[in-house]
Amino acid sequence: MAPHRKSRPPSSLGIRTPALATAALTSVALLSQTADASPAAEPRPSTEEVQKKIDDLYQQAGTATEKYNAAKEKTTKQRKRVATLLDDVAQRTEKLNSAREALGTFAAAQYRTGASAPDSASLLLADNPQDYFDQTQLMNRLTARQKQAVDEYVTQRATTSKKRQEASEGLETLTTTQSTLKTSKADVQRKLAEARELLSKLTAEEKVRLAAIERKKQEEAQRKADELARQQAADAERRRQEAATQGTGAGTGTGTGTGSTAGSDSASSTKAAKALAFARAQIGKPYVWGASGPGSYDCSGLTQAAWKAAGVTLPRTTWDQVDTGTTVSVDNAQPGDLVFFYDDISHVGIYIGDGMMIHAPKPGAYVREESIYYMPIHSVVRPG
């Protein structure tokens, strides 16, 4: 009779059933695919978003340009002041050295004639009384002149020390301003580089779309300019009719106040006409940040040069120009007025009438005529 053996249960390390094996292989494959999959690419910005980004970068570059202009102007003034102070210090140092030499001369003379003035006992012992009186007179003169030399030396030393301190502080301020100038310059270049990089990444189709957006923006700005021109023309006609009516009913009158105002308005109009004539002559010249002519301009450099041609001195930056003159409403803008843009007042143009201006727009563009509504208006100022 054969021996009886118990059957063993299947080992967990043995052969799996087909269903379990298939599930395991599927899980491994899914995990492998998940590990190998690359991150999802970020969605490409729309053309409108790219346009806004580029506009923002150009505005930021404009702001940095005005900071650069301010620092450059300040640096020029400080450099002249420091040069004047250093020259003054050199001259005063020479005077101080001369005063010091004078003191040495008096000390030597006093040593040769005696260290101290003769006293009454010396008179009794002197062989010749006249020698005593001569020596006394010499010492008195020497003491008075020596005292004067000492006073002069002390004054020169104090003044020279003060001027040296001013020169030192001036040099320190100049160094700080030059650092600001360098930072502003780098900021402008960085913003412009970012804008160029964005433009370089556009496809041909996106460039066409971008041009269409620009045309639409220009058309809307022109529409608003035309509307302002019609409004200003209507207001001018109304004022003319009112003036004609008042003139008929009021008679001739003295005309003193009216004549004075008319003369002032005439002089202002003449200056504005000269400024505009200059600005028109610059149309077609390139925008270059930090430039103030004659071959190229940035926005505030153009307005400054235009009004300089009319005999009016304007500051260099938009932030200073906006405070020069009288603020008027957009509806009352007259040719020659300065139109400022953006909340940070980083751009300016010169009004020519009918809602239009001449300005130096941005890098890559040229001085041109454009609607004042192309950018958000901050204020309008009439130079004094």
Side-chain angles (χ1 to χ4, degrees), residues 263-278:
S264 176
D265 289 345
S266 177
S268 298
S269 298
T270 299
K271 290 180 180 179
K274 290 181 179 180
L276 283 175
F278 180 92

Side-chain angles (χ1 to χ4, degrees), residues 42-43 66 72 83 100 147 151 159 163 165 169 182 209 213 229 254 288 292 315 334-335 364 366 376:
E42 294 183 4
E66 292 306 308
K72 184 178 180 181
R100 185 183 293 111
K147 182 178 183 304
D151 291 342
T159 305
K163 291 297 180 180
Q165 180 63 28
E169 292 173 355
K182 184 178 180 181
R209 173 64 178 159
I213 293 174
T254 61
V288 174
S292 56
Q334 295 179 5
Y366 299 85

Side-chain angles (χ1 to χ4, degrees), residues 286-310:
Y287 174 103
V288 174
W289 65 271
S292 56
S296 57
Y297 298 90
D298 62 19
C299 64
S300 56
L302 175 63
T303 52
Q304 182 190 50
W307 272 99
K308 183 179 180 180

Side-chain angles (χ1 to χ4, degrees), residues 362-380:
K362 59 186 178 182
Y366 299 85
V367 176
R368 66 192 183 200
E369 292 186 11
E370 199 154 47
S371 167
I372 61 173
Y373 293 102
Y374 182 75
M375 294 166 285
I377 298 173
H378 176 274
S379 58
V380 180

Side-chain angles (χ1 to χ4, degrees), residues 225-243:
D226 293 341
E227 182 179 337
L228 177 62
R230 288 191 294 269
Q231 178 184 338
Q232 289 181 330
D235 290 344
E237 177 62 21
R238 176 178 52 78
R239 287 193 296 269
R240 187 190 66 78
Q241 292 179 358
E242 289 176 354

Side-chain angles (χ1 to χ4, degrees), residues 27 36 43 81 86 92 139 156 166 209 225 241 245 314:
S27 299
D36 294 339
R81 179 174 180 272
L86 290 175
R92 291 183 181 279
M139 290 302 298
Q156 287 292 345
E166 289 181 12
R209 173 64 178 159
Q241 292 179 358
T245 302
L314 294 181

Side-chain angles (χ1 to χ4, degrees), residues 57 65 83 85 87 105 123 126 138 149 173-174 181 188 196 206 211 236 244 285 290 293 299 310 349 366 371:
L57 286 170
T65 296
L85 284 171
D87 185 58
T105 301
L123 175 61
L138 174 63
T173 302
L174 177 60
L181 182 68
V188 175
R196 286 193 294 267
E206 286 172 331
K285 292 185 178 180
C299 64
Y366 299 85
S371 167

